Amino acid sequence: MSDLENSKIISGSSFDTGSKIPWVMIILIVLIVGVAIVIFGRLGKKSEVVGTEKLGAKYLPELSGNVPAPKIVQKAEEFNENYEFNDGLGNPDNIQRFELDEDGTGLASIETFNVDINGDGIKDKITKSRFENGTAHFHYDYKIELNLDGQFTDITPAGFRTVEGADCSLQKLRFSFYPDFQVIKISRDWEDTWVTPTMATKTIYRLKDNKLEIASTSALKKICNVSDLF
């Protein structure tokens, strides 16, 4: 065989060997990328499930009532956005939510609080009912019941409800349990418009002989939103 032919064979073998190396590297890179996509895809799904569970825990407490689940979630979100006022009752022991009529009016919810009011070691009951009227105006009704000899006795004073406007509240209540049970009510009269400031009055109720009576009344100042006076 001539030197020229040997030279062609050697150069041809070198070309074939060199061409195989890039293809092997390309195949390895494709495999690595494929494995990475599968791993990150599974991690993404896991994060999505965790996020959904947290959302459900936040917006789906143990509720009862006659409202389908999607409407319950919607109402819970709406209620959380309403005002930043703390009436002192904390978290309820039970919540019932109800479907409003076609005009958006009626009883929306009832929250029940089981707490010892008169210090006898027996749980009494406070209920807080929200009523809608199809506008930005709504109100809460409060009912206070003592557990006396195994029966609940209503001791709620007259007018234990809020008066809520779109921009100003005309009457609000705050409950306090320590050192003794008392309720503070701050209210003002409506005049001309909802946002017209009028003189606010502070009334404090305390327990006496298992009855909730007025302990003091005082004038405060002219204001639009009585929530600002607590």
Side-chain angles (χ1 to χ4, degrees):
M1 186 177 293
S2 64
D3 293 339
L4 179 60
E5 291 175 345
N6 287 334
S7 176
K8 288 181 179 181
I9 292 173
I10 293 171
S11 61
S13 299
S14 299
F15 177 81
D16 291 340
T17 303
S19 63
K20 290 180 181 178
I21 295 175
W23 284 108
V24 171
M25 293 180 66
I26 292 173
I27 292 172
L28 288 175
I29 292 172
V30 170
L31 289 175
I32 292 171
V33 171
V35 172
I37 291 174
V38 172
I39 292 174
F40 284 112
R42 290 181 178 177
L43 290 175
K45 289 182 179 179
K46 184 177 180 181
S47 299
E48 182 180 350
V49 171
V50 171
T52 303
E53 289 175 352
K54 289 182 178 179
L55 181 65
K58 180 179 180 181
Y59 291 118
L60 293 177
E62 293 183 2
L63 304 176
S64 59
N66 59 352
V67 185
K71 292 187 178 180
I72 291 176
V73 175
Q74 181 182 3
K75 293 303 296 182
E77 292 173 342
E78 291 173 358
F79 284 16
N80 289 338
E81 292 173 358
N82 173 60
Y83 290 96
E84 294 184 359
F85 178 79
N86 179 8
D87 63 4
L89 289 178
N91 295 323
D93 293 284
N94 183 59
I95 305 176
Q96 292 176 286
R97 301 199 189 279
F98 305 93
E99 190 171 10
L100 304 175
D101 63 20
E102 58 183 9
D103 297 320
T105 65
L107 175 62
S109 69
I110 298 177
E111 300 178 31
T112 303
F113 305 83
N114 300 319
V115 59
D116 183 8
I117 295 174
N118 56 358
D120 61 357
I122 301 174
K123 292 292 182 70
D124 304 297
K125 182 167 60 176
I126 299 175
T127 52
K128 175 182 177 182
S129 302
R130 175 173 172 134
F131 292 87
E132 302 281 355
N133 68 355
T135 69
H137 306 289
F138 65 94
H139 72 273
Y140 288 108
D141 271 350
Y142 292 95
K143 184 178 182 181
I144 304 170
E145 298 173 276
L146 291 182
N147 189 343
L148 302 175
D149 299 326
Q151 294 186 346
F152 286 101
T153 301
D154 188 356
I155 62 167
T156 312
F160 252 46
R161 53 162 290 176
T162 66
V163 180
E164 314 274 3
D167 301 300
C168 295
S169 297
L170 275 63
Q171 181 163 290
K172 303 284 277 188
L173 294 92
R174 175 168 290 169
F175 294 75
S176 177
F177 299 89
Y178 303 101
D180 298 306
F181 179 74
Q182 70 172 20
V183 184
I184 299 174
K185 180 177 75 175
I186 298 182
S187 59
R188 70 175 182 86
D189 292 331
W190 188 93
E191 183 179 299
D192 297 330
T193 69
W194 277 88
V195 296
T196 302
T198 57
M199 180 63 68
T201 301
K202 178 180 181 179
T203 305
I204 298 178
Y205 296 81
R206 292 195 177 99
L207 275 178
K208 183 179 180 180
D209 299 327
N210 285 333
K211 295 180 181 179
L212 199 55
E213 300 179 348
I214 295 177
S216 65
T217 302
S218 58
L220 298 178
K221 65 177 183 178
K222 287 187 175 182
I223 199 167
C224 176
N225 188 6
V226 299
S227 300
D228 298 335
L229 298 178
F230 284 90

